[in-house]
Amino acid sequence: MTAPKTPTTAEELRGAGLRVTAARVALLETVRNGDHLGVEAIASGVRERVGHISLQAVYEALHALTAAGLVRRIEPAGSAALFEGRVGDNHHHVVCRSCGAVADVDCAVGHAPCLAASDDHGFSVDEAEVIYWGLCPRCSTSRNS
């Protein structure tokens, strides 16, 4: 018995109903290989792979990939939008108040949406977005020195 084949990036784009372009493949791979990247960092990564791409094209591709569920957009308060390739598992984030570093945090308790609202006001809740704030180890150490 053979293990299931992991789909290529192009196959994932097609499966999501998106047109496959070199820029979209490079962008999705850049996001997945990065760590909570901003638009400028993503554009730089795409340019390293395929050459010139406008910021507008990056924004449009990110919008399409986010809408298709291939990329997740997070916006910690006071920060520009960040993008990540970890999708579909309803994880949370911890953000450093000093340097802005972001790390993933697995679900707080139980199954998605992880947190039960005390009053859901009739909504059918399927996701909870939590951002923990504090100091990363590097900033914590530098403040204590």
Side-chain angles (χ1 to χ4, degrees), residues 5-73:
K5 182 184 166 219
T6 302
T8 65
T9 303
E11 289 169 339
E12 287 184 82
L13 289 167
R14 276 189 210 96
L18 297 174
R19 193 168 46 99
V20 177
T21 65
R24 281 186 175 166
V25 168
L27 191 145
L28 184 53
E29 290 175 353
T30 297
V31 169
R32 287 184 172 164
N33 292 332
D35 187 23
H36 305 99
L37 300 174
V39 174
E40 292 285 345
I42 294 168
S44 177
V46 172
R47 288 179 186 126
E48 288 174 8
R49 294 169 184 245
V50 299
H52 178 75
I53 186 169
S54 70
L55 269 182
Q56 183 62 36
V58 171
Y59 276 108
E60 289 171 1
L62 284 168
H63 177 75
L65 293 172
T66 301
L70 296 174
V71 167
R72 182 175 176 189
R73 175 187 173 127

Side-chain angles (χ1 to χ4, degrees):
M1 186 174 186
T2 59
K5 182 184 166 219
T6 302
T8 65
T9 303
E11 289 169 339
E12 287 184 82
L13 289 167
R14 276 189 210 96
L18 297 174
R19 193 168 46 99
V20 177
T21 65
R24 281 186 175 166
V25 168
L27 191 145
L28 184 53
E29 290 175 353
T30 297
V31 169
R32 287 184 172 164
N33 292 332
D35 187 23
H36 305 99
L37 300 174
V39 174
E40 292 285 345
I42 294 168
S44 177
V46 172
R47 288 179 186 126
E48 288 174 8
R49 294 169 184 245
V50 299
H52 178 75
I53 186 169
S54 70
L55 269 182
Q56 183 62 36
V58 171
Y59 276 108
E60 289 171 1
L62 284 168
H63 177 75
L65 293 172
T66 301
L70 296 174
V71 167
R72 182 175 176 189
R73 175 187 173 127
I74 65 167
E75 292 184 66
S79 173
L82 302 172
F83 296 86
E84 65 179 338
R86 184 176 171 184
V87 296
D89 67 349
N90 195 46
H91 67 280
H92 309 299
H93 298 94
V94 60
V95 179
C96 179
R97 289 185 187 280
S98 182
C99 72
V102 178
D104 291 336
V105 177
D106 288 330
C107 228
V109 178
H111 302 287
C114 307
L115 303 172
S118 61
D119 183 355
D120 63 18
H121 299 278
F123 285 69
S124 176
V125 178
D126 62 6
E127 182 178 1
E129 186 171 317
V130 175
I131 298 180
Y132 299 94
W133 293 88
L135 293 176
C136 69
R138 190 181 76 222
C139 291
S140 186
T141 300
S142 66
R143 283 213 174 151
N144 293 332
S145 298

